Amino acid sequence: ANTYFKDFLLARDDLDTIALPLLETMYHASKIAPSHLYVLLILLLILSEDISFNEGIHKRIIIKEVSWFKEYRLYDVPLGSLILILILRTLQYNHTNKHALMDTFVHENCYAILSNMSSHIRNIHVYSAQKLMSLLDVINKRYKNLLNRNEDCENEKNLILLLLDVTYTCVQPNILQHNLHMMYTLLSRKEIIESLLRFKSETINTAQQITNRENGNVGKSNQNNELHSICVICNKLIPI
């Protein structure tokens, strides 16, 4: 019934005027009713299903300053990276909140938004890359603790695999030059990557093919030892 309105919104060049109020409200998720958070996530999910929206938020729309974000001083951040930060933040809060059970609806919608965005991520902000790796670290530690106590850890495993999928999508050879912050973060947090050797899945097998190709390209040129080192670390994810 609202298809025309949706098309009107997506045709606008100032998508930040629509997305920023939603993201600011999400930032204060602990202070709003769960039903309000559901609405925000559904709106972002609907928007993220559109290819032009994803391309616009990652390639064209840059936010000069995010004054309401207190954990890190965000300047010149692509709108897509800001959305990624807020989705990861929401996932972490929902997954690790000691005072409430994990909200499955929130998780499923965050998963869907990340999946829709992942192949379009370009010019990833340094804090977005760091947040992605930090969440991987937190969830991996939680996974290990639950595993040692013989408790259900399927949700943790699924989240780790999703985050890995997003990470390696960002460093595919055809878009690597646009996401160097992700590669540098992988190198600086290599201990996290090495701790994830246990995961044998199609996601990681795909990552192996990607990093093998990139490793070959870097090896031939021998012009960037740092990227070469990162690719070697990435390949350690794949058990022989």
Side-chain angles (χ1 to χ4, degrees):
N2 296 313
T3 302
Y4 292 117
F5 182 65
K6 175 186 173 183
D7 292 341
F8 166 75
L9 291 180
L10 293 172
R12 295 172 63 97
D13 292 328
D14 57 346
L15 290 171
D16 51 312
T17 61
I18 301 166
L20 283 177
L22 303 181
L23 298 176
E24 184 175 0
T25 306
M26 278 184 63
Y27 181 75
H28 301 288
S30 61
K31 300 178 182 179
I32 63 175
S35 58
H36 292 174
L37 180 58
Y38 297 165
V39 172
L40 296 174
L41 290 172
I42 290 171
L43 289 173
L44 285 176
L45 177 58
I46 292 172
L47 293 172
S48 72
E49 292 171 346
D50 185 82
I51 294 176
S52 62
F53 173 80
N54 283 312
E55 291 182 348
I57 61 175
H58 291 290
K59 295 180 180 179
R60 296 192 298 272
I61 302 176
I62 306 297
I63 310 302
K64 294 299 181 183
E65 182 179 2
V66 187
S67 59
W68 43 263
F69 195 89
K70 304 302 180 183
E71 286 94 328
Y72 189 93
R73 298 185 68 183
L74 291 174
Y75 293 99
D76 297 326
V77 54
L79 179 57
S81 285
L82 183 58
I83 293 175
L84 178 59
I85 291 169
L86 268 296
I87 293 297
L88 294 174
R89 189 176 184 273
T90 301
L91 275 171
Q92 182 167 349
Y93 175 79
N94 188 49
H95 212 100
T96 60
N97 184 9
K98 296 180 180 179
H99 305 292
L101 294 174
M102 188 187 77
D103 191 316
T104 303
F105 185 86
V106 170
H107 248 53
E108 288 177 351
N109 279 276
C110 286
Y111 282 14
I113 293 168
L114 285 178
S115 296
N116 289 341
M117 287 177 51
S118 61
S119 63
H120 301 277
I121 294 175
R122 302 290 189 280
N123 308 313
I124 190 169
H125 191 272
V126 60
Y127 186 70
S128 300
Q130 292 172 356
K131 186 69 176 176
L132 184 54
M133 295 304 295
S134 295
L135 183 55
L136 262 173
D137 189 28
V138 168
I139 301 302
N140 185 40
K141 289 176 180 177
R142 182 178 175 87
Y143 173 86
K144 290 178 179 178
N145 288 335
L146 292 173
L147 198 63
N148 290 335
R149 298 200 300 264
N150 293 319
E151 296 182 20
D152 179 46
C153 52
E154 191 65 22
N155 288 326
E156 284 72 17
K157 179 179 179 180
N158 290 337
L159 179 53
I160 289 172
L161 292 175
L162 173 66
L163 296 177
L164 283 172
D165 185 51
V166 173
T167 300
Y168 284 107
T169 300
C170 288
V171 296
Q172 290 186 45
N174 61 318
I175 60 174
L176 175 62
Q177 61 181 323
H178 303 293
N179 290 321
L180 292 180
H181 282 309
M182 190 71 255
M183 291 298 284
Y184 295 141
T185 302
L186 282 170
L187 178 61
S188 65
R189 304 298 302 275
K190 63 182 180 180
E191 73 282 357
I192 299 174
I193 299 301
E194 291 170 344
S195 71
L196 294 169
L197 290 170
R198 70 176 72 250
F199 295 101
K200 300 178 182 179
S201 72
E202 199 131 325
T203 298
I204 306 239
N205 289 334
T206 302
Q208 183 184 34
Q209 296 173 5
I210 293 168
T211 52
N212 280 343
R213 286 198 302 268
E214 185 59 31
N215 194 15
N217 292 337
V218 174
K220 289 176 183 177
S221 63
N222 200 28
Q223 293 178 346
N224 195 326
N225 291 330
E226 195 157 15
L227 289 182
H228 176 76
S229 299
I230 295 169
C231 291
V232 171
I233 292 168
C234 291
N235 279 324
K236 288 182 180 180
L237 272 171
I238 317 301
I240 298 176

